[in-house]
Amino acid sequence: PDPPAIVEVNCDPEPNEFGENDNTITIRYSEPEDNGGLPITRYRIQRAEGDSMHFRPIFTLDGTPKEQLTYVDNNQLDGFPPRGLDFGQVYKYRIIAANGIDSYNDGFASDYTTVVCRNETVKKPVEIRRDLPPTSRTAIQLSWDQLDLSNDATAIEVTGYVLYGGLRDSGIMEVIFNGNGTPSALDFTHRDLEPGAMYRYQVAVATRRRDQQPKSDPFDFLAAVSAMAPQSFRLVF
């Protein structure tokens, strides 16, 4: 028979509720146009990894085929529980349709399709702003813009923003605002600061993927207000 056609491949790299690797790749494929004169009785899915062209069997589907068939690869091989696919790894897939004649001839395989287990990205925030002019010696009002993902089809859903801050010279920044779960929260006032000290801040994007939570560049702000103009003056001749 003719080789089946792979019609869609989707990678869903996402840890499960326990934080374990639960990455999967979903393959949808169609029946061959020519079944060789006999009904298709079996599909064999093979996979190679990285630069290797060694394809090994990962799944066999027996029985009457449908117009479109789906297989979800969660890396369950050799009788072991699913291990999940490796994020960032390159996988190649091909499919063989069998009609009972020479069923294990790999020469009837489809062209292979290459997939990288990473089809979602997230941008990092660009800028943190402070209140201008400054209004307090012991507080800094901070704000940042919501990421515009409207034209990014591969973007991960943003679930909020996390703000880090601390004394610049200490080299330590801690979470001072956790807006995960509230993506519309785009500002925070950092209070009880040391007057005249320089503070450093970064804002991170919170997503459902713990390995995709990039931070902005650091921004430094002084805990101080502008100098006051003299209230009175006199001329000296």
Side-chain angles (χ1 to χ4, degrees):
D2 290 341
I6 298 176
V7 295
E8 181 181 353
V9 179
N10 178 59
C11 178
D12 183 20
E14 180 179 0
N16 62 23
E17 59 181 320
F18 304 106
E20 300 167 339
N21 183 3
D22 198 27
N23 298 341
T24 60
I25 290 178
T26 300
I27 306 167
R28 291 185 176 87
Y29 54 100
S30 60
E31 293 184 70
E33 294 183 3
D34 182 359
N35 63 11
L38 292 173
I40 301 300
T41 58
R42 173 177 295 177
Y43 288 91
R44 294 190 291 119
I45 300 178
Q46 299 178 335
R47 188 186 76 197
E49 300 182 18
D51 295 330
S52 172
M53 293 300 294
H54 173 69
F55 284 87
R56 61 160 297 173
I58 60 171
F59 184 74
T60 299
L61 175 65
D62 294 315
T64 304
K66 304 174 184 178
E67 291 184 359
Q68 191 176 92
L69 303 101
T70 300
Y71 171 69
V72 178
D73 183 9
N74 58 6
N75 213 16
Q76 184 174 9
L77 302 175
D78 304 323
F80 291 98
R83 295 185 292 111
L85 299 172
D86 294 330
F87 183 76
Q89 176 65 285
V90 175
Y91 294 96
K92 306 182 188 76
Y93 294 92
R94 67 184 188 186
I95 303 172
I96 301 166
N99 61 3
I101 299 177
D102 206 8
S103 295
Y104 289 92
N105 185 348
D106 290 352
F108 296 124
S110 67
D111 294 334
Y112 67 83
T113 297
T114 301
V115 187
V116 180
C117 188
R118 182 184 62 244
N119 68 347
E120 295 181 298
T121 60
V122 63
K123 302 173 184 177
K124 71 177 183 179
V126 176
E127 183 182 14
I128 302 175
R129 298 178 299 275
R130 69 158 301 166
D131 54 324
L132 290 175
T135 57
S136 172
R137 296 180 175 84
T138 59
I140 299 176
Q141 298 175 24
L142 303 156
S143 62
W144 52 93
D145 290 329
Q146 195 168 25
L147 289 180
D148 181 9
L149 305 176
S150 57
N151 296 319
D152 190 348
T154 67
I156 304 173
E157 178 187 358
V158 172
T159 58
Y161 299 88
V162 179
L163 183 65
Y164 295 79
L167 285 165
R168 184 188 64 181
D169 294 342
S170 72
I172 300 173
M173 286 198 296
E174 300 177 333
V175 174
I176 59 174
F177 170 76
N178 189 343
N180 192 5
T182 313
S184 60
L186 302 172
D187 59 82
F188 177 75
T189 299
H190 194 196
R191 303 181 187 278
D192 300 322
L193 306 182
E194 178 184 337
M198 185 70 73
Y199 285 82
R200 174 162 289 183
Y201 300 96
Q202 285 181 285
V203 62
V205 180
T207 73
R208 59 189 175 89
R209 284 268 312 283
R210 290 179 301 175
D211 61 337
Q212 285 277 353
Q213 299 191 356
K215 292 181 181 178
S216 70
D217 294 332
F219 288 83
D220 297 339
F221 300 118
L222 185 66
V225 296
S226 302
M228 299 289 291
Q231 293 184 351
S232 63
F233 67 95
R234 61 190 180 92
L235 297 176
V236 178
F237 294 95

